[in-house]
Amino acid sequence: MRALRVAVVGGGISGLAAAHRLRHLLGPDAEITVVEQSDRLGGKLRTIEVGGRAFDVGAEAFLHRRPEAAELVAELGLADRLVHPTKAAASIHAAGATRPIPAHTLMGVPASVEAVRQVLSDDGLRRVAAEPGLPPIRLDGADVAVGALLRERFGPEVGDRLVGPLLGGVYAGRTDVLGLRATMPQLATALDSGVGSLLAAAATTMPAPPQPRVARPPVFGTLRDGLSTVVTRLADASKPEVRLGLPVRALVRREHGWRLEIGSAAAPTRFDVDGVVLAVPAPAARKLLADAVPAASRRYAEVEVASMAVVALALPPGTELPDRSGVLLAEGEVASDGVPFTAKAFTFSSRKWAHLAGEPVLVRGSVGRHGEAHLLQRDDADLVAAVRHDLHQLTGVTAQPIDTAVTRWGGGLPQYGVGHLDVVRGIEDAVAGVPGLAVAGATLHGVGIPACIATADAAAARVAAHVLGRVR
């Protein structure tokens, strides 16, 4: 009997986690091929050397309170390299001032007036205080843009000064585009349950205060040597055949499996497999499924994407950073010299992570929200200069970097728009009717690493069940 053959299209964390799970489910003799159109594995997990230090220039951490990433790290034998942030707090720069991110908010949505007293104007505070007296919110199962709901209930300031910067940091998106149900599901659930006020809904989501002398578990985690360690270990553990630099040009359903066409358009290579996990961004999934599963392709086409860049700076020893983990910038902020800020966020990495303290001093600036492609249409030197300008305006730091790196992430950040959950349901329902095919990735149930791993595990289980069922 010939070996089972499975292809994973996409070599990011979702694709590699799927290959890893497939190896466990199908055994050592299965032929697992990972096809990645770029020249490297890892997708948004990328660790490079900056100033002689291993430094993440894609995703820098994962949500530790979700189990999937932490469990995979342990499974790969990397638990001893797991580290958590220091106690340095994050901040927001809005309305011309930098302030700590207030506690007792849900992604910036206040649970009380007191929580946002230092961030909003007197008028903004009055609007928040009056919100519970407005007519009750009734979603009736519908979705709504976060920005529109916030303006209706609180006026402009909560969205502009708090929620916008926080959601922009996660999704590189804008509140007027992002949908409530996909980006703030806890809030939507509270409103669905009959809580008619945003203030009250946020209050119901707040965790209970910690017990005296009981430390709260860490929220985030990363790996001391960089998250590319996970990429390397996944590839070593699953032992797939890896084909890099080869785009998949077509995905064709056959009587007993699938045919992939990869490589150049003039002379593509074709190979047949029993099952396929598709773990690519929405634009690529739309193209590959156009003929094979047109209903899923149409739903993928509804997902917009954003581009961004990470500018890494290695500053000279002794450079003094603020005693904060970083700063998020509200949209439209202008520096004191009248120049609009280019960056949307800074991470003071040597403050945020104890293992990155020391020499040199490491900082990363993030540039680009949905609809801001023009900010990225400049060369690396211009981007570095703009980010250094912003850093100076925010912190006073003028030190000349001893090393820099610009990493561009083009079109890979999905926007969870209004109705996104319906879009995902449409994709998964369409694919469910097609044997031997499954989808995974950040487009579906969350952009973070744990959510991507969860989709990968589910996709691998679906494909493995199909191919094993065929050989019995």
Side-chain angles (χ1 to χ4, degrees):
M1 183 179 69
R2 70 170 179 84
L4 299 172
R5 303 182 69 190
V6 176
V8 177
V9 183
I13 181 61
S14 302
L16 292 174
H20 177 67
R21 196 60 61 212
L22 284 165
R23 177 61 70 200
H24 279 268
L25 294 170
L26 299 180
D29 296 329
E31 296 177 7
I32 300 171
T33 302
V34 174
V35 186
E36 167 57 46
Q37 70 171 357
S38 73
D39 60 359
R40 52 173 286 275
L41 293 174
K44 304 301 183 299
L45 273 59
R46 187 177 187 189
T47 308
I48 65 173
E49 187 175 289
V50 180
R53 308 285 297 276
F55 195 53
D56 283 312
V57 292
E60 64 151 357
F62 56 83
L63 190 63
H64 192 260
R65 288 178 176 174
R66 276 196 65 159
E68 295 90 349
E71 288 176 355
L72 182 61
V73 164
E75 185 180 339
L76 295 172
L78 297 171
D80 61 334
R81 304 186 196 183
L82 179 64
V83 293
H84 305 290
T86 66
K87 295 188 182 301
S91 57
I92 286 181
H93 184 87
T98 301
R99 305 175 182 88
I101 295 177
H104 305 295
T105 69
L106 174 66
M107 289 299 287
V109 178
S112 68
V113 177
E114 199 59 37
V116 291
R117 187 167 298 282
Q118 302 304 314
V119 182
L120 305 186
S121 69
D122 289 343
D123 182 62
L125 291 171
R126 282 193 292 269
R127 296 289 299 268
V128 171
E131 191 268 341
L134 297 177
I137 300 169
R138 300 196 186 283
L139 296 179
D140 295 324
D143 200 3
V144 64
V146 171
L149 182 62
L150 292 174
R151 279 193 301 275
E152 176 187 333
R153 304 296 295 190
F154 292 136
E157 291 186 10
V158 170
D160 293 347
R161 299 187 184 187
L162 289 169
V163 180
L166 286 161
L167 286 182
V170 175
Y171 297 96
R174 290 185 161 89
T175 58
D176 284 342
V177 173
L178 297 172
L180 180 73
R181 291 193 178 278
T183 61
M184 298 186 186
Q186 309 100 308
L187 204 63
T189 298
L191 294 173
D192 287 339
S193 73
V195 177
S197 154
L198 274 185
L199 202 70
T204 66
T205 70
M206 290 295 103
Q211 297 297 314
R213 296 181 296 279
V214 176
R216 279 186 172 174
V219 178
F220 295 102
T222 194
L223 295 184
R224 183 177 292 107
D225 303 316
L227 289 173
S228 284
T229 311
V230 173
V231 174
T232 302
R233 193 62 63 89
L234 279 171
D236 290 345
S238 58
K239 295 180 173 59
E241 177 190 0
V242 176
R243 303 190 184 191
L244 295 176
L246 297 170
V248 177
R249 299 197 170 274
L251 185 62
V252 181
R253 187 177 177 187
R254 294 170 61 79
E255 183 180 0
H256 296 299
W258 294 85
R259 172 166 291 175
L260 280 71
E261 295 183 2
I262 66 174
S264 70
T269 298
R270 298 176 176 87
F271 72 100
D272 296 339
V273 294
D274 301 298
V276 176
V277 172
L278 197 59
V280 294
R286 174 186 63 79
K287 292 177 182 177
L288 289 175
L289 295 174
D291 294 328
V293 195
S297 175
R298 288 191 294 270
R299 299 317 298 261
Y300 268 115
E302 298 178 45
V303 181
E304 298 184 30
V305 294
S307 300
M308 64 166 292
V310 172
V311 178
L313 306 175
L315 302 173
T319 301
E320 286 294 328
L321 294 175
D323 190 17
R324 302 192 296 272
S325 64
V327 56
L328 297 165
L329 284 87
E331 191 175 352
E333 289 292 300
V334 177
S336 62
D337 60 2
V339 177
F341 285 108
T342 297
K344 65 168 185 162
F346 282 95
T347 303
F348 305 143
S349 303
S350 291
R351 293 284 195 193
K352 182 173 181 178
W353 302 103
H355 69 285
L356 293 179
E359 304 176 358
V361 176
L362 297 172
V363 172
R364 49 180 266 166
S366 299
V367 178
R369 295 179 179 87
H370 182 251
E372 289 185 344
H374 64 282
L375 292 179
L376 306 176
Q377 293 170 352
R378 46 176 109 176
D379 62 26
D380 288 359
D382 284 346
L383 271 183
V384 169
V387 167
R388 287 191 61 206
H389 162 271
D390 294 353
L391 182 65
H392 170 228
Q393 290 290 317
L394 290 167
T395 68
V397 171
T398 59
Q400 178 78 26
I402 61 176
D403 195 11
T404 65
V406 177
T407 306
R408 299 170 186 268
W409 300 107
L413 297 165
Q415 299 300 287
Y416 282 21
V418 177
H420 184 75
L421 299 185
D422 293 332
V423 170
V424 172
R425 192 175 301 112
I427 291 169
E428 294 181 331
D429 286 350
V431 171
V434 182
L437 177 68
V439 293
T443 300
L444 302 175
H445 298 288
V447 298
I449 294 171
C452 289
I453 293 170
T455 67
D457 287 346
R462 171 177 160 78
V463 168
H466 169 75
V467 298
L468 289 172
R470 282 193 55 227
V471 298
R472 285 179 181 152

